[in-house]
C-alpha cells in the first residue's frame, strides 16, 4: 500500500502574471518500507514535493493521500493532526531544541502530540538510543555533541514514534564523509530492518546511492524514476 500517493498534483505560487509552477502533473506512489531519494536541480520542486507530501503546504490541483487520508480535502488543523500522527522529519540543520537534553529531544514528538510513552515504546526508544550509539549521551545538550551525533539524535527522534514516513531534507548536508555514511547506513537499515518508509531530498549522488529508489524532478515534473543506483550512475 502507498504511504504517500500523488495524483496529478499541480502546485503553483504567485498570481497569474507571476505564476511559478513548482509541481506539474505529478503522479507517484511511495510504498511502505521504501527508502526514496528525491533529486533534481535547485528550483526543480523537491522542497515543494516534500512540503505537499507532509501536508505542510496545500496543492493547487490534484490529490495527495498520506496514510490513505486525502490531505487535499483537509484544513490546516486536520493536516497538522495527521502530520503529528504519521510524519517524522530530519533536517540538514538537525533542528534539535538546544535547551533540552538528548533524551528530552527524542521524546519531544510525544510531548507535542500530547501522547504518553507506552512501555512498549519505551523499550523501542531505549533500543534506538543504544543502536544509534547515544546511550552515554542521553543527559547531554545538543551543543555538547558532534554534528554526526546530533543528526543521530534527530534520527532517533524521527524514528521514536515509528511514523508512517520520515522526510529527510539534505540530512547529510552538514556532515563530514564518515558521519554522512553512518547516518545513511542508519536510514538504510531503518528501511530494511524496520520497514520504515523514508523520503530523502538530496543533491549528493553518494547519499542517493543508499536509497532503494531515485526520483528525479526537473521543472516541477518527475522526469526519472529509478531503482537502486550507484553513485556513478546517478552523477
Ligand atoms: P527545490 O527544492 O528543488 O530547490 P522548490 O520546491 O523550492 O525547489 O521550488 C520550486 C519552484 O517554486 C522554484 O521556482 C521556486 O522559486 C518556487 N517557489 C518555492 N516556494 C515558493 C514560494 N513560497 N513562493 C513563490 N515561489 C516559490
Ligand atoms: P507544528 O505546529 O506541529 O510545529 P509545523 O507545520 O510548524 O507543525 O511543523 C511540523 C514539522 O515540520 C516540524 O518538525 C517543523 O520543524 C517542520 N517544518 C515546518 N515548516 C517546514 C518547512 N517549510 N519545510 C520543512 N519542514 C518544516
Amino acid at each position: 500500500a502507498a504511504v504517500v500517493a500523488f495524483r496529478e498534483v499541480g502546485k503553483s505560487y504567485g498570481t497569474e502574471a507571476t505564476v511559478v509552477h513548482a509541481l506539474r502533473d505529478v503522479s507517484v506512489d511511495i510504498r511502505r518500507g521504501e527508502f526514496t531519494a528525491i533529486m533534481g536541480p535547485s528550483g526543480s520542486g523537491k522542497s515543494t514535493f516534500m512540503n505537499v507530501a507532509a501536508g505542510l503546504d496545500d496543492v493547487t490541483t490534484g490529490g495527495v493521500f498520506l496514510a490513505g487520508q486525502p490531505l487535499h480535502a483537509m484544513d490546516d488543523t486536520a493536516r497538522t493532526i495527521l502530520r503529528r500522527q504519521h510524519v517524522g522529519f530530519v533536517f540538514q540543520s538537525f533542528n534539535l531544541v538546544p535547551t533540552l537534553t538528548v533524551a528530552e529531544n527524542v521524546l519531544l514528538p510525544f510531548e507535542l502530540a500530547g501522547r504518553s510513552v507506552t512501555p512498549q515504546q519505551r523499550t523501542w526508544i531505549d533500543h534506538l538510543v543504544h543502536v544509534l550509539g547515544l546511550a552515554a549521551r542521553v543527559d547531554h545538550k545538543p551543543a555538547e555533541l558532534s554534528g554526526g551525533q546530533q543528526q543521530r539524535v534527530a534520527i532517533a527522534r524521527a524514528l521514536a514514534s515509528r511514523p508512517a514516513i520520515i522526510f529527510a531534507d539534505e540530512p547529510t548536508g552538514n556532515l563530514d564523509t564518515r558521519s554522512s555514511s553512518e547516518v545513511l547506513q542508519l536510514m538504510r537499515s531503518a528501511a530494511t530492518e524496520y520497514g520504515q518508509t523514508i523520503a530523502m531530498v538530496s543533491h549528493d549522488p553518494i547519499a542517493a546511492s543508499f536509497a532503494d529508489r531515485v526520483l528525479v524532478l526537473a521543472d516541477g515534473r518527475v522526469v526519472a524514476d529509478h531503482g537502486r543506483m550507484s553513485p556513478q550512475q546517478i552523477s
Side-chain angles (χ1 to χ4, degrees), residues 40-56:
S42 182
S44 59
K46 302 182 298 297
S47 304
T48 304
F49 181 96
M50 203 174 72
N51 290 343
V52 162
L56 290 164

mmCIF file of all heavy atoms in Angstrom, residues 40-56:
data_model
loop_
_atom_site.group_PDB
_atom_site.id
_atom_site.type_symbol
_atom_site.label_atom_id
_atom_site.label_comp_id
_atom_site.label_asym_id
_atom_site.label_seq_id
_atom_site.Cartn_x
_atom_site.Cartn_y
_atom_site.Cartn_z
ATOM 1 N N GLY A 40 17.283 16.385 -8.141
ATOM 2 C CA GLY A 40 16.931 17.352 -9.186
ATOM 3 C C GLY A 40 17.609 18.669 -8.886
ATOM 4 O O GLY A 40 17.965 18.934 -7.745
ATOM 5 N N PRO A 41 17.765 19.504 -9.914
ATOM 6 C CA PRO A 41 18.454 20.781 -9.710
ATOM 7 C C PRO A 41 17.688 21.719 -8.774
ATOM 8 O O PRO A 41 16.501 21.491 -8.507
ATOM 9 C CB PRO A 41 18.539 21.371 -11.122
ATOM 10 C CG PRO A 41 17.615 20.594 -11.976
ATOM 11 C CD PRO A 41 17.375 19.277 -11.310
ATOM 12 N N SER A 42 18.364 22.726 -8.317
ATOM 13 C CA SER A 42 17.752 23.754 -7.485
ATOM 14 C C SER A 42 16.560 24.354 -8.238
ATOM 15 O O SER A 42 16.654 24.634 -9.431
ATOM 16 C CB SER A 42 18.809 24.816 -7.188
ATOM 17 O OG SER A 42 18.247 25.781 -6.362
ATOM 18 N N GLY A 43 15.431 24.501 -7.536
ATOM 19 C CA GLY A 43 14.236 25.065 -8.173
ATOM 20 C C GLY A 43 13.391 24.049 -8.922
ATOM 21 O O GLY A 43 12.385 24.405 -9.524
ATOM 22 N N SER A 44 13.767 22.764 -8.872
ATOM 23 C CA SER A 44 13.026 21.753 -9.635
ATOM 24 C C SER A 44 11.747 21.292 -8.934
ATOM 25 O O SER A 44 10.938 20.586 -9.536
ATOM 26 C CB SER A 44 13.932 20.557 -9.942
ATOM 27 O OG SER A 44 14.412 19.979 -8.754
ATOM 28 N N GLY A 45 11.588 21.653 -7.649
ATOM 29 C CA GLY A 45 10.345 21.316 -6.949
ATOM 30 C C GLY A 45 10.497 20.320 -5.804
ATOM 31 O O GLY A 45 9.498 19.877 -5.239
ATOM 32 N N LYS A 46 11.732 20.019 -5.423
ATOM 33 C CA LYS A 46 11.968 18.995 -4.387
ATOM 34 C C LYS A 46 11.356 19.387 -3.036
ATOM 35 O O LYS A 46 10.679 18.582 -2.400
ATOM 36 C CB LYS A 46 13.477 18.743 -4.213
ATOM 37 C CG LYS A 46 14.176 18.311 -5.490
ATOM 38 C CD LYS A 46 15.659 18.032 -5.264
ATOM 39 C CE LYS A 46 16.461 19.237 -4.808
ATOM 40 N NZ LYS A 46 16.499 20.353 -5.788
ATOM 41 N N SER A 47 11.608 20.628 -2.605
ATOM 42 C CA SER A 47 11.054 21.063 -1.308
ATOM 43 C C SER A 47 9.537 21.117 -1.372
ATOM 44 O O SER A 47 8.858 20.728 -0.411
ATOM 45 C CB SER A 47 11.566 22.454 -0.933
ATOM 46 O OG SER A 47 12.947 22.460 -0.936
ATOM 47 N N THR A 48 9.027 21.589 -2.483
ATOM 48 C CA THR A 48 7.571 21.658 -2.639
ATOM 49 C C THR A 48 6.973 20.256 -2.571
ATOM 50 O O THR A 48 5.954 20.037 -1.901
ATOM 51 C CB THR A 48 7.205 22.343 -3.975
ATOM 52 O OG1 THR A 48 7.826 23.633 -4.005
ATOM 53 C CG2 THR A 48 5.710 22.483 -4.127
ATOM 54 N N PHE A 49 7.607 19.303 -3.232
ATOM 55 C CA PHE A 49 7.151 17.909 -3.198
ATOM 56 C C PHE A 49 7.053 17.432 -1.751
ATOM 57 O O PHE A 49 6.043 16.869 -1.320
ATOM 58 C CB PHE A 49 8.138 17.037 -4.000
ATOM 59 C CG PHE A 49 7.759 15.578 -4.069
ATOM 60 C CD1 PHE A 49 7.064 15.084 -5.159
ATOM 61 C CD2 PHE A 49 8.102 14.700 -3.044
ATOM 62 C CE1 PHE A 49 6.705 13.734 -5.230
ATOM 63 C CE2 PHE A 49 7.747 13.367 -3.097
ATOM 64 C CZ PHE A 49 7.043 12.877 -4.191
ATOM 65 N N MET A 50 8.125 17.677 -0.988
ATOM 66 C CA MET A 50 8.165 17.222 0.398
ATOM 67 C C MET A 50 7.115 17.940 1.246
ATOM 68 O O MET A 50 6.409 17.307 2.035
ATOM 69 C CB MET A 50 9.567 17.458 0.956
ATOM 70 C CG MET A 50 9.873 16.583 2.103
ATOM 71 S SD MET A 50 11.576 16.745 2.626
ATOM 72 C CE MET A 50 11.517 18.334 3.376
ATOM 73 N N ASN A 51 7.006 19.245 1.084
ATOM 74 C CA ASN A 51 6.049 20.009 1.889
ATOM 75 C C ASN A 51 4.611 19.602 1.590
ATOM 76 O O ASN A 51 3.776 19.537 2.498
ATOM 77 C CB ASN A 51 6.234 21.513 1.657
ATOM 78 C CG ASN A 51 7.527 22.026 2.258
ATOM 79 O OD1 ASN A 51 8.135 21.363 3.104
ATOM 80 N ND2 ASN A 51 7.962 23.190 1.830
ATOM 81 N N VAL A 52 4.325 19.317 0.326
ATOM 82 C CA VAL A 52 2.978 18.891 -0.055
ATOM 83 C C VAL A 52 2.700 17.482 0.482
ATOM 84 O O VAL A 52 1.634 17.211 1.037
ATOM 85 C CB VAL A 52 2.829 18.964 -1.599
ATOM 86 C CG1 VAL A 52 1.652 18.143 -2.077
ATOM 87 C CG2 VAL A 52 2.688 20.416 -2.048
ATOM 88 N N ALA A 53 3.703 16.594 0.368
ATOM 89 C CA ALA A 53 3.530 15.211 0.844
ATOM 90 C C ALA A 53 3.317 15.169 2.347
ATOM 91 O O ALA A 53 2.597 14.316 2.859
ATOM 92 C CB ALA A 53 4.749 14.376 0.464
ATOM 93 N N ALA A 54 3.953 16.104 3.065
ATOM 94 C CA ALA A 54 3.851 16.135 4.530
ATOM 95 C C ALA A 54 2.649 16.946 5.008
ATOM 96 O O ALA A 54 2.415 17.056 6.204
ATOM 97 C CB ALA A 54 5.133 16.719 5.118
ATOM 98 N N GLY A 55 1.913 17.524 4.062
ATOM 99 C CA GLY A 55 0.757 18.325 4.454
ATOM 100 C C GLY A 55 1.133 19.661 5.064
ATOM 101 O O GLY A 55 0.342 20.289 5.756
ATOM 102 N N LEU A 56 2.370 20.123 4.806
ATOM 103 C CA LEU A 56 2.779 21.452 5.274
ATOM 104 C C LEU A 56 2.278 22.522 4.316
ATOM 105 O O LEU A 56 2.175 23.690 4.668
ATOM 106 C CB LEU A 56 4.314 21.538 5.376
ATOM 107 C CG LEU A 56 4.953 20.717 6.491
ATOM 108 C CD1 LEU A 56 6.455 20.568 6.270
ATOM 109 C CD2 LEU A 56 4.674 21.354 7.844
#
